[in-house]
Amino acid sequence: MSETRRKLTTIFCADVQDYTRLMGADEEGTLASLKRCREAMGRLIESHGGRVINTWGDGLIADFPSVVEAVRAAVDTQNELAGFNARRPADGRMLFRIGINLGDVIVEGDDIYGDGVNIAARLQTSAAAGGIVISSTVYDQVRNKVAVGFEFLGPLMVKNVDEGVPSYAVKIGDTRDETPSAERSGPARPQPAPVMAAAKAETTPAPGGHRLYGVLGIIAAVLIGINLLSWQGVFWARFPVLALAVVAALAWNRDQNRFNRKITLLAILALGLAGINIFTWTGQFWAVWPILGIAAVMGLRWSMRR
């Protein structure tokens, strides 16, 4: 039997637009910026459950078990790097192009090979500076799960692949170059009405989180009102209100992209324990020990991700 191992995975490829020009203008400054951007990208990839497989020159390749998390990592990366570039002169900005594909790959050690990787690399070269291009296999998995828009770009021709690979640009805001650099087998066809409607809906952040906060707030207010109107000397509503606050914090952490979700989850747990201790106060702050343990774990995770 063949010892070749294969797996289905999400391939994430990235490189820098005009890297040669940047190096020619300022080698040391460009290398320092590249290192900083790669560290940020690696941190975000890890926080979304991915792993960096390899880096070369200005390029990077990673893979993810989750298609949705791969796209979220790409969006978070471009948003964070946009903030970094906003403080730099226009001709010194380090703009990454990202391509993402879902495909079956050959696994050898820590490396992956095959058409799935080649397609991701080709998608990356077709992306606008500061943009993201995904294959149709990725689009089918994320179209209703990520709060971004999509623009159909048409079939992308890839070496050793007989038919063009349908591709989509991820619309995450103002990209520096809206013209895709790759040649395609024909003009981009108009999107079907359902796809256009989905893209329009996904361009606006999902309102589900706001509705959840509103519902939890109403429930908390009702519980407090019932407690006060039936007052018998005990504020029993404090425990369900604390539970609702924890649920709201967990929902916020699920959707936020600013902080590492695992570290923030530990912080929420620590605050919940502190709240229980305060609401059941008997003269002893027993929560200090589990909170100290949580703080130690948070410190270890922070130092490892750095």
Side-chain angles (χ1 to χ4, degrees):
M1 292 181 63
S2 171
E3 297 193 3
T4 300
R5 263 196 324 123
R6 307 190 70 100
K7 71 174 182 178
L8 183 67
T9 191
T10 309
I11 307 104
F12 174 114
C13 284
D15 81 345
V16 180
Q17 175 82 5
D18 293 336
Y19 181 71
T20 302
R21 176 184 63 80
L22 293 171
M23 285 291 288
D26 180 7
E27 284 188 350
E28 293 185 359
T30 297
L31 287 174
S33 296
L34 178 63
K35 181 179 179 180
R36 179 174 175 180
C37 292
R38 272 194 181 155
E39 287 176 350
M41 190 179 298
R43 168 173 53 80
L44 291 168
I45 288 171
E46 179 187 351
S47 72
H48 286 278
R51 69 180 181 106
V52 176
I53 296 174
N54 202 355
T55 59
W56 67 95
D58 61 321
L60 176 147
I61 184 170
D63 73 342
F64 292 77
S66 166
V67 187
V68 173
E69 290 303 321
V71 175
R72 286 176 175 168
V75 172
D76 289 353
T77 293
Q78 295 295 31
N79 285 334
E80 182 159 330
L81 295 183
F84 169 73
N85 284 308
R87 300 187 294 271
R88 300 175 62 83
D91 60 351
R93 293 174 179 172
M94 183 159 287
L95 302 172
F96 278 80
R97 302 173 299 187
I98 298 176
I100 303 176
N101 179 46
L102 172 64
D104 192 85
V105 299
I106 298 172
V107 181
E108 288 188 3
D110 291 331
D111 290 328
I112 57 176
Y113 305 91
D115 288 341
V117 180
N118 296 336
I119 291 172
R122 190 75 173 93
L123 292 168
Q124 165 254 302
T125 61
S126 74
I132 305 165
V133 171
I134 63 176
S135 65
S136 60
T137 55
V138 173
Y139 173 77
D140 290 340
Q141 298 297 319
V142 304
R143 56 181 294 184
N144 295 319
K145 300 182 179 72
V146 183
V148 293
F150 301 94
E151 178 186 355
F152 182 67
L153 300 177
L156 176 69
M157 301 310 298
V158 179
K159 184 178 179 180
N160 297 327
V161 177
D162 293 335
E163 297 182 359
V165 178
S167 59
Y168 294 80
V170 179
K171 309 301 289 183
I172 55 175
D174 180 27
T175 53
R176 278 43 176 193
D177 179 8
E178 292 298 331
T179 304
S181 59
E183 295 180 1
R184 295 180 174 81
S185 63
R189 68 175 183 268
Q191 288 179 303
V195 175
M196 295 182 66
K200 183 177 179 180
E202 289 163 350
T203 306
T204 305
H210 297 294
R211 287 199 295 267
L212 175 62
Y213 303 145
V215 170
L216 293 176
I218 292 171
I219 294 174
V222 170
L223 289 171
I224 293 173
I226 293 173
N227 195 167
L228 294 177
L229 292 174
S230 60
W231 184 258
Q232 294 181 353
V234 178
F235 185 43
W236 52 261
R238 63 189 186 277
F239 293 111
V241 169
L242 176 63
L244 292 172
V246 170
V247 171
L250 292 174
W252 167 81
N253 186 47
R254 179 195 61 196
D255 297 330
Q256 63 92 14
N257 297 315
R258 185 173 181 180
F259 307 104
N260 182 283
R261 289 190 178 94
K262 292 180 179 178
I263 292 178
T264 309
L265 178 62
L266 292 172
I268 293 170
L269 177 60
L271 291 173
L273 289 171
I276 293 173
N277 195 166
I278 292 171
F279 286 159
T280 60
W281 186 257
T282 58
Q284 183 180 6
F285 188 42
W286 52 261
V288 65
W289 301 111
I291 290 176
L292 183 61
I294 291 172
V297 174
M298 291 171 64
L300 287 173
R301 288 198 62 86
W302 179 262
S303 63
M304 290 175 65
R305 68 191 278 270
R306 298 295 290 176

